[in-house]
Amino acid sequence: MQQGSAGNGDAKPSIVFDPTDPGFLADPYAVYKRLRQECPVGRATLGDGGARVVSRFRDAAAVLGSPSSRMRSPGGEIPAAIRDGPAARMWAHSISMSDPPDHTRLRRLLSPAFTPRATARFRPVVEQIVTEALDAVEPRGEMEVMSEFAMVVPMRVICGLLGIPDSDWDLLMEWTPDLLRMFVPDANDEEGIELCHRACANFIEYLGALVDRHRDSPTGNLTSHLVALEEAGDRLSRDELIATLRGLITAGFETTMGLIGSMVLGLLQNPDQMALLRSRPELVPNAVEEFLRWESPVHAHYRYLTTEWEVDGERMLPGERVLALIAAANRDPDLYEHPDRIDIRRPDIKHLSFGGGRHLCLGAPLARLEAQIAIGELLRRFDPIHLAATEFRRRPHFQFMLLEQLPVTFEVVAGGS
């Protein structure tokens, strides 16, 4: 971060937030703390126009939840960094990047499949997938949590819903990190943008073939259902269908994988909390919410303002882009006592990890279900569990800082299988 002037004529300091700074990527929470304390409304180095940055809970919640905030710039343009090419096509038709009325129409089509009641029907499937994942590693007494458990559970669930074969997982995993660059494209250099275009092209080709197969031979799964909507007319175009399937895949496993990984690491680094959760398994749902608060799988979202805002004496004008730092907001001491601590008994947990407003994550009930079953069964079957490393590499992406590796060893509880 850099210190600068506020830019509005007063003497208030303004901190320039650089999401590519190696110091930030190495220790983001120290930067978040400084922003909250010294500069609740800062500036970010994102593209030519930059962005305003909010880091306190009340401000981030207001920006995300306001009906007047938008995903697209006032003119609706595709970001200049990806103006041409496959990434532009994917961006333009993604529900997560859309505004009303398109967003309202797309959300109405998808939401019935992801209500809490609909999601509850998946419990037996998730339980079986978790059991099989743990069965596979149990004889070894060790596992790499991210690739053998945290990824396997949500990937099998979402791919099963969409009719994607297990043999294609590696491709989807390989393409996803570079595709995610499109959400804040001007945080990338030319090489990063080229990687983003390539990943989007791969998804478009792969999912186009998946759509064609399900049109020719419907199976009754979610992909076949969405294909039928496409064929109904102007309700869901082919590009919207492909972008929607992409969104279901990447949101369906990427963020849940990050949540499960952070829960395992956090519990192992806080043995008192792990012991408490073992002794009181009824706390698992609350523990999931606490870990969503403590380390959000998505660190930031942005919105464009359509009305003038004033936050902490700073004016933000219509047309400005605002970056809401979710991970900073979730540890706001104005909302929580000892926010950097993990407390699975913390009451009335509020967090922004699933976004807010009209873009509140559709898959939140499914992510919660998967994480609850995964962590509950892991603790029931394996005790003790030990970290098999002292350093843990994270993805160097300021929005999606997921753990890349988490090796552990364990012993099997007698009768736990």
Side-chain angles (χ1 to χ4, degrees), residues 271-348:
D272 61 322
Q273 296 295 296
M274 176 171 276
L276 176 60
L277 196 56
R278 288 189 189 280
S279 65
R280 295 188 56 188
E282 72 275 10
L283 288 175
V284 166
N286 203 67
V288 169
E289 299 308 308
E290 172 67 346
F291 275 96
L292 282 164
R293 180 202 69 81
W294 181 71
E295 185 166 60
S296 174
V298 181
H299 276 227
H301 292 292
Y302 73 84
R303 297 289 190 272
Y304 284 93
L305 302 181
T306 61
T307 59
E308 182 175 322
W309 286 53
E310 183 172 326
V311 178
D312 198 47
E314 290 272 353
R315 291 175 64 213
M316 296 189 291
L317 302 177
E320 285 198 87
R321 180 167 55 166
V322 179
L323 188 68
L325 296 178
I326 306 306
N330 284 348
R331 295 197 188 187
D332 190 337
D334 288 345
L335 197 65
Y336 294 112
E337 186 177 2
H338 306 301
D340 293 325
R341 296 182 187 175
I342 298 169
D343 180 2
I344 64 171
R345 290 179 294 187
R346 193 184 298 274
D348 303 321

Coordinates of all heavy atoms in Angstrom, one line a residue, residues 271-348:
P271 N -6.3 -26.1 18.3 CA -6.7 -27.4 18.9 C -7.9 -27.3 19.9 O -8.6 -28.3 20.0 CB -5.5 -28.0 19.5 CG -4.5 -26.9 19.6 CD -4.9 -25.9 18.5
D272 N -8.0 -26.2 20.6 CA -9.1 -26.1 21.6 C -10.4 -26.0 20.8 O -11.4 -26.6 21.3 CB -8.9 -24.8 22.4 CG -8.9 -23.5 21.6 OD1 -8.3 -23.6 20.4 OD2 -9.5 -22.5 22.0
Q273 N -10.4 -25.4 19.7 CA -11.7 -25.3 18.9 C -12.0 -26.7 18.3 O -13.1 -27.1 18.2 CB -11.6 -24.3 17.8 CG -11.4 -22.9 18.3 CD -12.6 -22.4 19.1 OE1 -13.7 -22.3 18.5 NE2 -12.5 -22.1 20.4
M274 N -11.0 -27.4 17.9 CA -11.2 -28.8 17.3 C -11.7 -29.7 18.4 O -12.7 -30.5 18.1 CB -9.9 -29.3 16.7 CG -10.0 -30.8 16.2 SD -8.6 -31.3 15.3 CE -9.0 -30.7 13.7
A275 N -11.1 -29.6 19.6 CA -11.6 -30.5 20.7 C -13.1 -30.1 21.0 O -13.9 -31.0 21.3 CB -10.7 -30.3 21.9
L276 N -13.4 -28.9 21.0 CA -14.7 -28.4 21.3 C -15.7 -29.0 20.3 O -16.8 -29.5 20.6 CB -14.8 -26.9 21.4 CG -16.2 -26.3 21.6 CD1 -16.8 -26.8 22.9 CD2 -16.1 -24.8 21.6
L277 N -15.3 -28.9 19.0 CA -16.2 -29.4 18.0 C -16.4 -30.9 18.0 O -17.5 -31.4 17.7 CB -15.7 -28.9 16.6 CG -16.7 -29.0 15.4 CD1 -17.9 -28.2 15.7 CD2 -16.0 -28.5 14.2
R278 N -15.3 -31.6 18.4 CA -15.4 -33.0 18.5 C -16.4 -33.4 19.6 O -17.2 -34.3 19.5 CB -14.1 -33.7 18.8 CG -13.1 -33.7 17.7 CD -11.9 -34.5 18.0 NE -10.8 -34.4 17.1 CZ -10.8 -35.1 15.9 NH1 -11.8 -35.9 15.6 NH2 -9.7 -35.0 15.1
S279 N -16.3 -32.7 20.7 CA -17.2 -33.0 21.9 C -18.6 -32.5 21.7 O -19.5 -33.0 22.3 CB -16.6 -32.4 23.1 OG -16.6 -30.9 23.1
R280 N -18.8 -31.5 20.8 CA -20.1 -30.9 20.6 C -20.4 -30.8 19.1 O -20.4 -29.7 18.5 CB -20.3 -29.6 21.3 CG -20.1 -29.6 22.8 CD -20.4 -28.3 23.4 NE -21.8 -27.8 23.0 CZ -22.2 -26.5 23.3 NH1 -21.4 -25.7 23.9 NH2 -23.4 -26.2 22.9
P281 N -20.7 -31.9 18.5 CA -20.9 -31.9 17.0 C -22.1 -31.1 16.6 O -22.2 -30.7 15.4 CB -21.1 -33.4 16.7 CG -21.4 -34.1 17.9 CD -20.7 -33.3 19.0
E282 N -23.0 -30.8 17.5 CA -24.2 -30.0 17.2 C -23.7 -28.5 16.8 O -24.5 -27.8 16.3 CB -25.2 -29.9 18.3 CG -24.8 -29.1 19.6 CD -23.9 -29.9 20.6 OE1 -23.5 -31.1 20.2 OE2 -23.7 -29.4 21.7
L283 N -22.5 -28.2 17.1 CA -21.9 -26.9 16.8 C -21.4 -26.8 15.4 O -21.0 -25.7 14.9 CB -20.8 -26.5 17.8 CG -21.2 -26.1 19.2 CD1 -19.9 -25.9 20.0 CD2 -22.1 -24.9 19.2
V284 N -21.5 -27.9 14.6 CA -20.9 -27.9 13.3 C -21.6 -26.8 12.4 O -20.8 -26.0 11.7 CB -21.0 -29.2 12.6 CG1 -20.8 -29.2 11.1 CG2 -20.0 -30.2 13.2
P285 N -22.9 -26.6 12.3 CA -23.4 -25.5 11.5 C -22.9 -24.2 11.9 O -22.6 -23.3 11.0 CB -24.9 -25.7 11.7 CG -25.1 -27.1 12.1 CD -24.0 -27.5 12.9
N286 N -22.8 -23.9 13.2 CA -22.3 -22.6 13.6 C -20.8 -22.4 13.3 O -20.3 -21.4 13.0 CB -22.5 -22.4 15.1 CG -22.5 -20.9 15.5 OD1 -23.4 -20.2 15.1 ND2 -21.5 -20.5 16.2
A287 N -20.1 -23.6 13.4 CA -18.7 -23.5 13.0 C -18.5 -23.2 11.6 O -17.5 -22.4 11.2 CB -18.0 -24.9 13.4
V288 N -19.3 -23.7 10.7 CA -19.2 -23.3 9.3 C -19.4 -21.8 9.1 O -18.7 -21.2 8.3 CB -20.2 -24.2 8.5 CG1 -20.3 -23.6 7.0 CG2 -19.9 -25.6 8.5
E289 N -20.4 -21.3 9.8 CA -20.6 -19.8 9.6 C -19.4 -19.0 10.2 O -19.0 -18.0 9.6 CB -21.9 -19.4 10.4 CG -23.1 -20.1 9.9 CD -23.3 -19.9 8.4 OE1 -23.2 -18.8 7.9 OE2 -23.5 -21.0 7.7
E290 N -18.8 -19.5 11.3 CA -17.7 -18.8 11.8 C -16.5 -18.9 10.9 O -15.7 -17.9 10.7 CB -17.3 -19.4 13.2 CG -16.0 -18.9 13.8 CD -16.0 -17.4 14.2 OE1 -16.9 -16.7 13.8 OE2 -15.1 -17.0 14.9
F291 N -16.3 -20.0 10.2 CA -15.2 -20.1 9.3 C -15.4 -19.3 8.0 O -14.5 -18.7 7.4 CB -14.8 -21.5 9.0 CG -13.9 -22.1 10.0 CD1 -14.4 -22.9 11.0 CD2 -12.5 -21.9 9.9 CE1 -13.6 -23.4 12.0 CE2 -11.7 -22.4 10.9 CZ -12.2 -23.2 11.9
L292 N -16.7 -19.2 7.6 CA -17.0 -18.3 6.5 C -16.7 -16.8 6.9 O -16.2 -16.1 6.0 CB -18.5 -18.4 6.1 CG -18.9 -19.7 5.3 CD1 -20.4 -19.9 5.4 CD2 -18.4 -19.5 3.9
R293 N -16.9 -16.5 8.1 CA -16.6 -15.1 8.6 C -15.1 -14.9 8.7 O -14.6 -13.9 8.2 CB -17.2 -14.9 9.9 CG -17.0 -13.5 10.5 CD -17.1 -13.4 12.0 NE -16.1 -14.2 12.7 CZ -14.8 -13.7 12.9 NH1 -14.5 -12.5 12.5 NH2 -14.0 -14.5 13.6
W294 N -14.4 -15.9 9.3 CA -13.0 -15.8 9.6 C -12.1 -15.7 8.3 O -11.2 -15.0 8.2 CB -12.6 -16.9 10.5 CG -11.2 -16.9 10.9 CD1 -10.6 -16.0 11.8 CD2 -10.1 -17.8 10.5 NE1 -9.2 -16.4 11.9 CE2 -8.9 -17.5 11.1 CE3 -10.1 -18.9 9.6 CZ2 -7.7 -18.1 10.9 CZ3 -8.9 -19.6 9.4 CH2 -7.7 -19.2 10.1
E295 N -12.5 -16.5 7.3 CA -11.7 -16.5 6.1 C -12.7 -16.8 4.9 O -12.9 -17.9 4.5 CB -10.6 -17.6 6.1 CG -9.7 -17.5 4.8 CD -8.4 -18.2 4.9 OE1 -8.5 -19.5 5.1 OE2 -7.4 -17.6 4.9
S296 N -13.2 -15.7 4.3 CA -14.1 -15.8 3.2 C -13.4 -16.4 2.0 O -12.3 -16.0 1.7 CB -14.6 -14.4 2.9 OG -15.4 -14.5 1.7
P297 N -14.0 -17.4 1.4 CA -13.4 -18.0 0.1 C -13.2 -16.9 -1.0 O -12.4 -17.1 -1.8 CB -14.5 -19.0 -0.3 CG -15.2 -19.4 1.0 CD -15.3 -18.1 1.7
V298 N -14.1 -15.9 -1.0 CA -13.9 -14.8 -1.9 C -13.6 -13.5 -1.1 O -14.4 -13.1 -0.2 CB -15.2 -14.6 -2.8 CG1 -15.0 -13.4 -3.8 CG2 -15.6 -15.9 -3.5
H299 N -12.5 -12.9 -1.4 CA -12.0 -11.8 -0.5 C -12.7 -10.4 -0.9 O -12.7 -9.5 -0.1 CB -10.5 -11.7 -0.6 CG -9.8 -12.6 0.4 ND1 -8.8 -12.1 1.2 CD2 -10.0 -13.9 0.7 CE1 -8.4 -13.1 1.9 NE2 -9.1 -14.2 1.6
A300 N -13.2 -10.3 -2.1 CA -13.6 -9.0 -2.6 C -14.7 -9.1 -3.7 O -14.6 -10.0 -4.5 CB -12.5 -8.1 -3.0
H301 N -15.6 -8.2 -3.7 CA -16.5 -8.0 -4.8 C -16.5 -6.5 -5.1 O -16.3 -5.6 -4.3 CB -18.0 -8.4 -4.4 CG -18.2 -9.8 -4.1 ND1 -18.1 -10.8 -5.2 CD2 -18.5 -10.5 -3.0 CE1 -18.3 -12.0 -4.7 NE2 -18.5 -11.9 -3.4
Y302 N -16.9 -6.2 -6.4 CA -17.0 -4.8 -6.7 C -18.4 -4.5 -7.3 O -19.2 -5.3 -7.7 CB -16.0 -4.3 -7.7 CG -16.1 -4.8 -9.1 CD1 -16.9 -4.2 -10.0 CD2 -15.5 -6.0 -9.6 CE1 -17.1 -4.6 -11.3 CE2 -15.6 -6.4 -10.9 CZ -16.4 -5.7 -11.7 OH -16.6 -6.2 -13.0
R303 N -18.8 -3.2 -7.2 CA -20.0 -2.7 -7.7 C -19.8 -1.3 -8.3 O -18.8 -0.6 -8.0 CB -21.1 -2.5 -6.6 CG -21.5 -3.8 -6.0 CD -22.3 -4.7 -6.9 NE -22.9 -5.8 -6.2 CZ -22.3 -7.0 -6.0 NH1 -21.1 -7.2 -6.5 NH2 -22.9 -8.0 -5.3
Y304 N -20.6 -0.9 -9.3 CA -20.6 0.5 -9.8 C -21.8 1.2 -9.1 O -22.9 0.7 -9.0 CB -20.8 0.5 -11.3 CG -19.6 0.1 -12.1 CD1 -19.4 -1.2 -12.4 CD2 -18.6 1.0 -12.4 CE1 -18.2 -1.6 -13.1 CE2 -17.5 0.7 -13.1 CZ -17.3 -0.7 -13.5 OH -16.1 -1.0 -14.1
L305 N -21.5 2.5 -8.7 CA -22.5 3.3 -8.1 C -23.4 4.0 -9.2 O -22.9 4.4 -10.2 CB -21.9 4.3 -7.2 CG -21.0 3.8 -6.1 CD1 -20.5 5.0 -5.3 CD2 -21.8 2.9 -5.2
T306 N -24.7 4.1 -8.9 CA -25.6 4.9 -9.8 C -26.1 6.1 -9.1 O -26.8 6.9 -9.7 CB -26.7 4.0 -10.3 OG1 -27.5 3.6 -9.1 CG2 -26.2 2.8 -11.0
T307 N -25.8 6.3 -7.8 CA -26.2 7.4 -7.1 C -25.0 7.9 -6.3 O -24.0 7.2 -6.1 CB -27.3 7.2 -6.1 OG1 -27.0 6.1 -5.2 CG2 -28.6 6.7 -6.9
E308 N -25.0 9.1 -5.8 CA -23.9 9.7 -5.0 C -24.0 9.1 -3.6 O -25.1 9.0 -3.0 CB -24.0 11.2 -4.9 CG -22.9 11.8 -4.1 CD -22.9 13.3 -4.2 OE1 -23.2 13.9 -5.2 OE2 -22.6 14.0 -3.1
W309 N -22.8 8.7 -3.0 CA -22.7 8.1 -1.7 C -21.7 9.0 -0.9 O -20.8 9.6 -1.5 CB -22.2 6.7 -1.7 CG -23.1 5.7 -2.2 CD1 -23.9 5.7 -3.4 CD2 -23.5 4.5 -1.5 NE1 -24.6 4.5 -3.5 CE2 -24.4 3.8 -2.4 CE3 -23.1 3.9 -0.3 CZ2 -24.9 2.5 -2.0 CZ3 -23.6 2.6 0.0 CH2 -24.5 2.0 -0.8
E310 N -22.0 9.0 0.4 CA -21.0 9.6 1.3 C -20.7 8.7 2.4 O -21.6 8.2 3.1 CB -21.4 11.0 1.9 CG -20.4 11.6 2.8 CD -20.7 13.0 3.2 OE1 -21.4 13.7 2.4 OE2 -20.4 13.4 4.3
V311 N -19.4 8.3 2.6 CA -19.0 7.3 3.6 C -17.8 7.9 4.3 O -16.8 8.3 3.7 CB -18.6 6.0 2.9 CG1 -18.1 5.0 4.0 CG2 -19.8 5.4 2.2
D312 N -17.9 8.0 5.6 CA -16.9 8.5 6.5 C -16.3 9.9 5.9 O -15.2 10.2 5.9 CB -15.7 7.5 6.5 CG -14.8 7.8 7.7 OD1 -15.3 8.0 8.8 OD2 -13.5 7.8 7.5
G313 N -17.3 10.7 5.5 CA -16.9 12.0 5.0 C -16.4 12.1 3.6 O -16.1 13.2 3.1
E314 N -16.3 10.9 2.9 CA -15.8 10.8 1.6 C -17.0 10.7 0.6 O -17.8 9.9 0.8 CB -14.9 9.6 1.4 CG -13.6 9.7 2.1 CD -12.5 10.4 1.2 OE1 -12.8 10.6 0.1 OE2 -11.4 10.6 1.8
R315 N -17.0 11.6 -0.4 CA -18.0 11.5 -1.4 C -17.6 10.5 -2.5 O -16.5 10.6 -3.0 CB -18.2 12.9 -2.0 CG -18.9 13.9 -1.1 CD -19.0 15.2 -1.8 NE -19.8 15.2 -3.0 CZ -19.6 15.9 -4.0 NH1 -18.6 16.7 -4.1 NH2 -20.5 15.8 -5.1
M316 N -18.5 9.7 -2.9 CA -18.3 8.8 -4.0 C -19.4 9.1 -5.0 O -20.6 9.1 -4.7 CB -18.4 7.3 -3.6 CG -17.2 7.0 -2.6 SD -17.1 5.2 -2.2 CE -18.6 4.9 -1.3
L317 N -19.1 9.3 -6.3 CA -20.0 9.8 -7.3 C -20.5 8.7 -8.2 O -20.0 7.6 -8.3 CB -19.2 10.8 -8.1 CG -18.6 12.0 -7.4 CD1 -17.8 12.9 -8.3 CD2 -19.7 12.8 -6.6
P318 N -21.7 9.0 -8.8 CA -22.3 8.0 -9.7 C -21.3 7.7 -10.8 O -20.6 8.5 -11.3 CB -23.5 8.8 -10.3 CG -23.9 9.7 -9.2 CD -22.6 10.2 -8.6
G319 N -21.2 6.4 -11.1 CA -20.3 5.9 -12.1 C -19.0 5.4 -11.6 O -18.2 4.7 -12.3
E320 N -18.7 5.7 -10.3 CA -17.5 5.2 -9.7 C -17.6 3.7 -9.4 O -18.6 3.2 -9.0 CB -17.1 5.9 -8.4 CG -16.6 7.3 -8.6 CD -15.8 7.9 -7.4 OE1 -14.6 7.6 -7.3 OE2 -16.5 8.5 -6.6
R321 N -16.4 3.0 -9.5 CA -16.4 1.6 -9.1 C -15.9 1.5 -7.7 O -15.0 2.1 -7.3 CB -15.4 0.9 -10.1 CG -15.3 -0.6 -9.7 CD -14.6 -1.4 -10.8 NE -13.3 -0.9 -11.2 CZ -12.5 -1.6 -12.0 NH1 -12.8 -2.8 -12.4 NH2 -11.3 -1.1 -12.3
V322 N -16.6 0.6 -6.9 CA -16.3 0.5 -5.5 C -15.9 -1.0 -5.3 O -16.7 -1.9 -5.6 CB -17.5 0.9 -4.6 CG1 -17.1 0.6 -3.1 CG2 -17.8 2.3 -4.8
L323 N -14.8 -1.2 -4.7 CA -14.3 -2.6 -4.3 C -14.6 -2.8 -2.9 O -14.1 -2.1 -2.0 CB -12.8 -2.7 -4.6 CG -12.2 -4.1 -4.4 CD1 -12.7 -5.0 -5.5 CD2 -10.7 -4.0 -4.5
A324 N -15.5 -3.7 -2.6 CA -15.9 -4.1 -1.2 C -15.1 -5.2 -0.7 O -15.1 -6.3 -1.3 CB -17.4 -4.4 -1.1
L325 N -14.2 -5.0 0.2 CA -13.3 -6.0 0.7 C -14.0 -6.9 1.8 O -14.1 -6.5 3.0 CB -12.0 -5.3 1.3 CG -11.2 -4.6 0.4 CD1 -10.0 -3.9 1.1 CD2 -10.7 -5.4 -0.8
I326 N -14.6 -8.0 1.3 CA -15.4 -8.9 2.1 C -14.6 -9.4 3.3 O -15.0 -9.5 4.4 CB -15.9 -10.0 1.3 CG1 -16.7 -9.5 0.0 CG2 -16.8 -10.9 2.1 CD1 -17.7 -8.5 0.3
A327 N -13.4 -9.9 3.0 CA -12.5 -10.5 4.0 C -12.2 -9.5 5.1 O -12.0 -9.9 6.3 CB -11.3 -11.1 3.4
A328 N -12.0 -8.2 4.8 CA -11.8 -7.2 5.8 C -13.0 -6.9 6.6 O -13.0 -6.8 7.8 CB -11.3 -5.9 5.1
A329 N -14.1 -6.8 5.9 CA -15.4 -6.5 6.6 C -15.8 -7.6 7.6 O -16.3 -7.3 8.6 CB -16.5 -6.3 5.5
N330 N -15.5 -8.8 7.2 CA -15.9 -9.9 8.1 C -15.1 -10.0 9.4 O -15.5 -10.7 10.3 CB -15.7 -11.3 7.4 CG -16.8 -11.5 6.3 OD1 -17.8 -10.9 6.3 ND2 -16.5 -12.5 5.5
R331 N -14.0 -9.2 9.5 CA -13.2 -9.2 10.7 C -13.2 -7.7 11.3 O -12.3 -7.3 12.0 CB -11.8 -9.6 10.4 CG -11.6 -11.0 10.0 CD -10.2 -11.5 10.2 NE -10.0 -12.8 9.7 CZ -8.8 -13.5 9.8 NH1 -7.8 -13.0 10.5 NH2 -8.7 -14.7 9.3
D332 N -14.3 -7.1 11.1 CA -14.5 -5.7 11.6 C -14.7 -5.7 13.1 O -15.7 -6.3 13.6 CB -15.7 -5.0 10.9 CG -15.8 -3.5 11.2 OD1 -15.2 -3.1 12.2 OD2 -16.4 -2.8 10.4
P333 N -13.8 -5.1 13.9 CA -14.0 -5.1 15.4 C -15.2 -4.3 15.8 O -15.6 -4.5 17.0 CB -12.7 -4.5 15.9 CG -12.2 -3.7 14.7 CD -12.6 -4.4 13.5
D334 N -15.8 -3.5 15.0 CA -17.0 -2.8 15.3 C -18.2 -3.8 15.4 O -19.2 -3.5 16.0 CB -17.3 -1.7 14.3 CG -16.4 -0.5 14.4 OD1 -15.7 -0.4 15.5 OD2 -16.4 0.3 13.5
L335 N -18.0 -4.9 14.8 CA -19.1 -5.9 14.8 C -18.8 -7.1 15.7 O -19.7 -7.7 16.3 CB -19.3 -6.5 13.3 CG -20.6 -7.2 13.0 CD1 -21.7 -6.2 13.1 CD2 -20.5 -7.8 11.6
Y336 N -17.5 -7.4 15.9 CA -17.2 -8.6 16.7 C -16.0 -8.3 17.6 O -15.1 -7.6 17.3 CB -16.7 -9.7 15.7 CG -17.7 -10.3 14.8 CD1 -17.6 -10.1 13.4 CD2 -18.8 -11.0 15.3 CE1 -18.6 -10.6 12.6 CE2 -19.8 -11.5 14.5 CZ -19.7 -11.3 13.1 OH -20.6 -11.8 12.3
E337 N -16.1 -8.9 18.8 CA -15.1 -8.9 19.8 C -14.0 -9.9 19.3 O -14.4 -11.0 19.0 CB -15.6 -9.2 21.2 CG -14.6 -9.1 22.3 CD -15.1 -9.3 23.6 OE1 -16.4 -9.6 23.7 OE2 -14.4 -9.2 24.6
H338 N -12.8 -9.5 19.4 CA -11.7 -10.4 19.0 C -11.9 -11.0 17.6 O -12.0 -12.3 17.4 CB -11.5 -11.5 20.0 CG -11.3 -11.1 21.4 ND1 -10.2 -10.2 21.8 CD2 -12.0 -11.3 22.5 CE1 -10.3 -9.9 23.1 NE2 -11.3 -10.6 23.6
P339 N -12.1 -10.2 16.6 CA -12.5 -10.7 15.3 C -11.5 -11.6 14.6 O -11.8 -12.4 13.7 CB -12.7 -9.5 14.4 CG -11.8 -8.4 15.1 CD -11.9 -8.8 16.6
D340 N -10.2 -11.6 15.0 CA -9.2 -12.4 14.3 C -9.1 -13.8 15.0 O -8.4 -14.7 14.4 CB -7.8 -11.8 14.4 CG -7.7 -10.5 13.6 OD1 -8.4 -10.4 12.5 OD2 -7.0 -9.5 14.0
R341 N -9.9 -14.0 16.0 CA -9.9 -15.3 16.7 C -11.0 -16.2 16.0 O -12.0 -15.7 15.6 CB -10.1 -15.2 18.2 CG -9.1 -14.5 18.9 CD -9.4 -14.5 20.4 NE -8.5 -13.7 21.2 CZ -8.6 -13.4 22.5 NH1 -9.7 -14.0 23.2 NH2 -7.8 -12.7 23.1
I342 N -10.8 -17.5 16.1 CA -11.8 -18.4 15.7 C -12.6 -18.8 17.0 O -12.0 -19.3 17.9 CB -11.3 -19.7 15.1 CG1 -10.5 -19.3 13.8 CG2 -12.3 -20.7 14.8 CD1 -9.7 -20.5 13.2
D343 N -13.9 -18.6 16.9 CA -14.8 -19.0 18.1 C -16.0 -19.6 17.5 O -16.9 -19.0 17.1 CB -15.1 -17.7 18.9 CG -16.0 -18.1 20.1 OD1 -16.3 -19.3 20.3 OD2 -16.4 -17.1 20.8
I344 N -16.0 -21.0 17.5 CA -17.2 -21.7 16.9 C -18.5 -21.5 17.7 O -19.5 -21.9 17.3 CB -16.8 -23.2 16.7 CG1 -16.6 -23.9 18.0 CG2 -15.6 -23.3 15.8 CD1 -16.5 -25.4 17.9
R345 N -18.4 -21.0 18.9 CA -19.6 -20.7 19.7 C -20.0 -19.2 19.6 O -20.9 -18.8 20.2 CB -19.3 -21.0 21.2 CG -19.2 -22.5 21.5 CD -18.9 -22.7 23.0 NE -17.6 -22.2 23.4 CZ -17.0 -22.4 24.5 NH1 -17.6 -23.1 25.5 NH2 -15.8 -21.9 24.8
R346 N -19.4 -18.5 18.7 CA -19.7 -17.1 18.5 C -21.2 -16.9 18.2 O -21.7 -17.5 17.2 CB -18.8 -16.5 17.4 CG -18.9 -14.9 17.3 CD -18.1 -14.4 16.2 NE -16.7 -14.7 16.3 CZ -15.8 -14.0 16.9 NH1 -16.1 -12.9 17.5 NH2 -14.5 -14.4 16.9
P347 N -21.9 -16.1 18.9 CA -23.4 -16.0 18.6 C -23.7 -15.0 17.5 O -22.9 -14.1 17.2 CB -23.9 -15.4 19.9 CG -22.8 -14.6 20.5 CD -21.5 -15.3 20.1
D348 N -24.8 -15.2 16.8 CA -25.3 -14.2 15.9 C -24.3 -13.8 14.8 O -24.0 -12.6 14.6 CB -25.8 -12.9 16.6 CG -26.9 -13.2 17.6 OD1 -27.7 -14.1 17.3 OD2 -26.9 -12.6 18.7

